[in-house]
């Protein structure tokens, strides 16, 4: 293992309302052997807030993503800059709980998985009021079922907003998506290359600030198209 065991990637786009609490809660879980990379493509004060926390947290890194092309692009920027043996992504809006990151890492630590998807829709998961709309729930169900059929393994939430993976998985999957399709690309390409993907139940709450950039219908159709292309080896 390297000195930095875990790299937590937080892709942000105007998350000034929640970024400080998000960072503090992550370091509350991992006071050592963890780095937090905030990859920021927005235009608000997120960067100033993060820079103001760096004196307190030596392992906090701010990456200004001037050429932001979407959340997938920001995540890839974080992967390239990361130093950890294991990587975790978590949204800055605190819908997913930083305190549950160790639960997501457990299958990797125990060598039972190469990718762990934080599932909102499996037995043991908890969805609190306002955490997801009926339309998004239906869209996630359709997307997950379609990916499961095409890739031969049941996955309950391929649109997971909190995911953990090994460096080997990141290298082997070699993601190309700049858009939200990257969420599906990582697990399905890992499966195609013989890696192990598991679902882990997580808790979700209503977002604590900011606004969602997801366009359910358009993004959903794009993801379904890209899942097909991944299966055909065309992306």
């Amino acid at each position: 293992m390297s000195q930095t065991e875990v790299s937590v990637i937080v892709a942000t786009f105007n998350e000034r309302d929640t970024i400080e609490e998000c960072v503090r809660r992550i370091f509350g879980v991992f006071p050592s052997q963890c780095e937090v990379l905030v990859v920021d493509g927005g235009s608000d004060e997120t960067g100033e807030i993060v820079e103001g926390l760096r004196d307190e947290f030596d392992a906090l890194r701010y990456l200004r993503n001037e050429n932001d092309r979407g959340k997938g692009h920001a995540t890839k920027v974080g992967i390239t800059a990361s130093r950890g043996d294991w990587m975790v992504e978590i949204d800055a809006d605190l819908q997913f709980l930083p305190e549950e990151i160790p639960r997501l890492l457990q299958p990797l630590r125990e060598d039972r998985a190469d990718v762990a998807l934080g599932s909102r829709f499996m037995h043991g998961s908890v969805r609190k009021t306002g955490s997801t709309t009926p339309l998004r729930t239906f869209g996630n169900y359709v997307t997950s079922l379609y990916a499961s059929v095409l890739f031969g393994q049941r996955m309950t939430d391929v649109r997971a907003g909190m995911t953990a993976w090994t460096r080997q998985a990141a290298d082997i999957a070699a993601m190309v998506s700049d858009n939200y399709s990257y969420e599906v690309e990582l697990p399905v390409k890992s499966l195609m290359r013989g890696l192990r993907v598991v679902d882990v139940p997580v808790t979700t709450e209503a977002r604590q600030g900011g606004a969602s950039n997801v366009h359910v219908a358009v993004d959903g159709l794009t993801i379904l198209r890209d899942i097909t292309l991944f299966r055909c080896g065309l992306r």
Side-chain angles (χ1 to χ4, degrees):
M1 288 288 178
S2 65
Q3 185 176 2
T4 301
E5 185 179 63
V6 180
S7 295
V8 181
I9 299 169
V10 185
T12 64
F13 195 88
N14 298 337
E15 301 287 0
R16 65 184 180 187
D17 295 336
T18 55
I19 188 60
E20 179 172 353
E21 182 180 351
C22 181
V23 167
R24 290 189 180 280
R25 287 171 63 176
I26 294 170
F27 281 116
V29 176
F30 297 104
S32 63
Q33 293 185 299
C34 168
E35 64 174 359
V36 176
L37 299 91
V38 177
V39 186
D40 180 29
S43 58
D44 70 356
E45 296 84 14
T46 296
E48 298 170 26
I49 294 169
V50 174
E51 291 289 3
L53 293 170
R54 291 187 63 192
D55 288 341
E56 188 173 348
F57 302 108
D58 292 339
L60 176 61
R61 299 168 61 193
Y62 176 72
L63 304 177
R64 177 62 192 161
N65 195 23
E66 292 288 355
N67 187 33
D68 184 88
R69 298 194 295 271
K71 191 178 177 186
H73 175 248
T75 301
K76 290 186 293 180
V77 168
I79 290 171
T80 300
S82 67
R83 304 180 183 125
D85 299 286
W86 299 318
M87 285 165 260
V88 179
E89 68 155 351
I90 188 169
D91 293 340
D93 61 18
L94 297 173
Q95 280 192 291
F96 295 85
L97 311 185
E99 292 78 15
E100 293 189 342
I101 292 175
R103 178 189 299 182
L104 211 63
L105 286 170
Q106 186 174 352
L108 279 60
R109 293 184 185 277
E110 296 175 353
D111 195 27
R112 293 187 287 111
D114 304 287
V115 178
L117 304 175
S119 175
R120 296 162 288 185
F121 306 109
M122 67 180 295
H123 178 71
S125 63
V126 177
R127 283 184 319 225
K128 296 189 177 180
T129 302
S131 62
T132 184
T133 65
L135 180 60
R136 291 185 69 170
T137 297
F138 177 74
N140 285 333
Y141 173 78
V142 170
T143 304
S144 297
L145 180 61
Y146 186 59
S148 299
V149 170
L150 273 128
F151 292 90
Q153 177 176 313
R154 183 69 176 112
M155 294 174 284
T156 58
D157 194 0
V158 293
R159 297 290 315 280
M162 187 164 72
T163 304
W165 60 89
T166 64
R167 182 162 298 280
Q168 179 192 31
D171 292 341
I172 290 176
M175 293 184 293
V176 298
S177 300
D178 288 337
N179 58 13
Y180 286 106
S181 295
Y182 86 96
E183 294 171 327
V184 188
E185 184 178 7
L186 176 62
V188 301
K189 283 190 173 178
S190 295
L191 288 173
M192 289 177 69
R193 290 155 176 80
L195 299 183
R196 302 159 298 173
V197 178
V198 299
D199 288 1
V200 177
V202 295
T203 303
T204 46
E205 299 182 336
R207 65 182 298 129
Q208 303 300 302
S212 173
N213 295 301
V214 176
H215 303 283
V216 176
V218 174
D219 290 335
L221 290 172
T222 299
I223 291 167
L224 290 173
R225 178 204 67 189
D226 288 344
I227 291 172
T228 307
L229 295 176
F230 297 146
R231 176 70 272 182
C232 296
L234 297 176
R235 284 203 67 186

